[in-house]
Amino acid sequence: MLRVNNLRVQFGKRILFEEVNLNFTKGNCYGVIGANGAGKSTFLKILSGDLETQKGGISLDKGLRMNVLSQDQNKFDDQTVVKTILLGHKRLVEIMDQKEVYYQKTEFTDQDGIELAELEAEFLELNGWDAESNAESMLNSMGIKNELHQKLMKDLDSKQKVKVLLANALFGNPDILILDEPTNNLEINTVKWLENFLLGFENTVIVVSHNRHFINKVCTHICDIDYGKINILVGNYDFWYESSQLLLKQSKDQNKKVEIRAKELKEFIAKFSANASKSKQATSRKKALEKLTLEDIKPSTRRYPFIDFKPEREAGNDILVVENLTKEGYFKNLNFILNKGEKAVVLNDNSRVVTMLFEILSGNEKADSGTFKFGQTINLSYLPENNDQFFSGNDLSLVDWLKQYSVEQNESFIRGWLGRMLFSGEEALKKASVISGGEKVRCMLARTMLNSGNFLILNEPTNHLDLESITALNNGMKRYQGNLLFASHDQEIVNTVADKIIQILADGVFTKSMNYDDYLERIYKQ
């Protein structure tokens, strides 16, 4: 067991959290959540020993082994790929190195024989004879082919390195596994492999991730950093979000009796458990969920932007027709039709390919051949992945920046839109050129909403956003009544929004009205 005892973390005058007492137990996967700056990564670094505690401590039961996903891509550059995986079990590698020393000796004493026998026994106990083949099998499962296994890490590209570092953390069945954003830069098939690995993992996992689909799938508990505390709640992210929103709504109704609130919570838990039949905690944690009371859950202090795309007018029946569209080096012979009301996700392993299609459809680039035609009633609004051109060198305040894209110029009106996106008071007077990446995306979303388009093109709209903003965006995309063409690495958004798949192929396109889960089932059966 991993224990946190009376932990306090403070930077300057700011207290991140204090009086934290937690037990992380075997067989559970804990998703650590909190607003930006709440201290999620700091907490993981303290658990792993990379940061010293200021007050309180971390204790790990004797004999337990902890592995941590490294964020340093260059850490193992002088090692081969297979050796990097084996280094995920340091004691095993130590034994291998020590054995080699003994076998290199020209004079071998009886004492050497005794010590070597002890090493061999421990090596056998750690399944050392199968270690290299197990490492290679894991690499193959993650898409790292045999010809790369003996290469040096420095010779791999960044996406390959990410997979090897992940395998390094997972190797050798560690007792405690700490993962900070493990799905970053992984393609969908590796993410699914990791999900299945963790669902079958019988020890303890502690993870930070902005991938809501991933933490919903693998987490049995949520570790919530809020109110200057860290509390563990049984269930996944969706359960935490929905239950905290329910209690927030209840707290605004001061006249509602406690008995009625408790009944509403019980009904919500029953409904959630019934609708989460595919989730791990639906079966293994159902009884624990049913024991929850009002005192166990607090309404979150998180602030969520309000994202609501409302078309100024309804589109006609003609939406978009693409015929034989070709751009050299990107795609050729694209043919697809978007019908009224459809929300289509565009898929390709190369994000540049999807971006080029969106740039052509929005009029920023020209195709080499082929045509596309929007219906006469279409009012297109485009949110690009790269928004540098809108902010670089721009000394306008956010109020004046947003005025550029609004017919209504009244300052209180503009401030109202900025307030929706969590820029209130003095924050609305920040210079557009100095705001963060997440703040820029929220400004671009406000611009998109003001445009009131009945056809939206959104290219990776969740980039730089925190979980709260991603959740709000997801809800806004689901509510939207117009047509939508989008690309996103957020699987939860793709799963819950898209009703049509447009996959750009080497020569043409696959397109079909279906949801993303059905699409994944189709390609994995092939």
Side-chain angles (χ1 to χ4, degrees), residues 242-254 256 261 264 299-300:
E242 297 292 347
S243 61
S244 64
Q245 291 297 298
L246 172 63
L247 266 67
L248 183 63
K249 181 181 178 181
Q250 289 182 342
S251 68
K252 293 177 180 179
D253 188 350
Q254 299 296 327
K256 187 171 288 188
R261 294 181 184 182
E264 286 180 347
S300 173

Side-chain angles (χ1 to χ4, degrees), residues 159-176:
K159 288 190 175 182
Q160 292 168 335
K161 280 187 173 183
V162 166
K163 293 181 181 181
V164 178
L165 291 175
L166 179 59
N168 165 272
L170 302 179
F171 181 72
N173 197 36
D175 301 288
I176 311 290

Side-chain angles (χ1 to χ4, degrees), residues 215-357:
I215 58 176
N216 273 330
K217 187 77 177 285
V218 303
C219 288
T220 60
H221 294 71
I222 289 298
C223 195
D224 181 29
I225 304 178
D226 204 356
Y227 299 96
K229 307 287 184 182
I230 305 180
N231 295 302
I232 291 177
L233 180 69
V234 67
N236 61 8
Y237 177 80
D238 276 354
F239 178 80
W240 170 86
Y241 173 74
E242 297 292 347
S243 61
S244 64
Q245 291 297 298
L246 172 63
L247 266 67
L248 183 63
K249 181 181 178 181
Q250 289 182 342
S251 68
K252 293 177 180 179
D253 188 350
Q254 299 296 327
N255 297 320
K256 187 171 288 188
K257 294 181 179 180
V258 173
E259 293 83 0
I260 297 175
R261 294 181 184 182
K263 182 182 177 184
E264 286 180 347
L265 177 62
K266 188 175 181 179
E267 290 173 348
F268 161 73
I269 291 173
K271 182 180 178 181
F272 180 87
S273 296
N275 291 337
S277 58
K278 293 182 180 179
S279 65
K280 186 177 181 180
Q281 74 282 357
T283 53
S284 63
R285 300 299 165 197
K286 186 175 181 180
K287 290 182 179 179
L289 285 173
E290 291 170 348
K291 292 178 182 177
L292 288 176
T293 66
L294 287 172
E295 290 71 30
D296 296 319
I297 310 172
K298 291 183 178 180
S300 173
T301 62
R302 311 279 208 287
R303 297 171 64 208
Y304 292 81
F306 181 71
I307 300 175
D308 196 30
F309 306 105
K310 289 190 175 179
E312 188 173 25
R313 64 171 179 172
E314 183 180 351
N317 291 325
D318 296 329
I319 305 299
L320 172 64
V321 177
V322 175
E323 294 183 327
N324 296 317
L325 201 65
T326 297
K327 182 71 172 179
E328 188 66 32
Y330 293 91
F331 48 78
K332 56 184 177 180
N333 301 324
L334 296 191
N335 290 276
F336 64 88
I337 295 173
L338 209 62
N339 299 308
K340 185 172 181 178
E342 286 184 325
K343 298 177 180 180
V345 61
V346 181
L347 305 175
N348 188 273
D349 289 340
N350 188 343
S351 62
R352 293 174 61 249
V353 170
V354 178
T355 295
M356 180 54 70
L357 172 62

Side-chain angles (χ1 to χ4, degrees), residues 124-138:
L124 182 63
E125 185 179 344
L126 295 177
N127 199 26
W129 295 110
D130 294 328
E132 190 162 329
S133 62
N134 288 341
E136 291 181 339
S137 176
M138 183 178 287

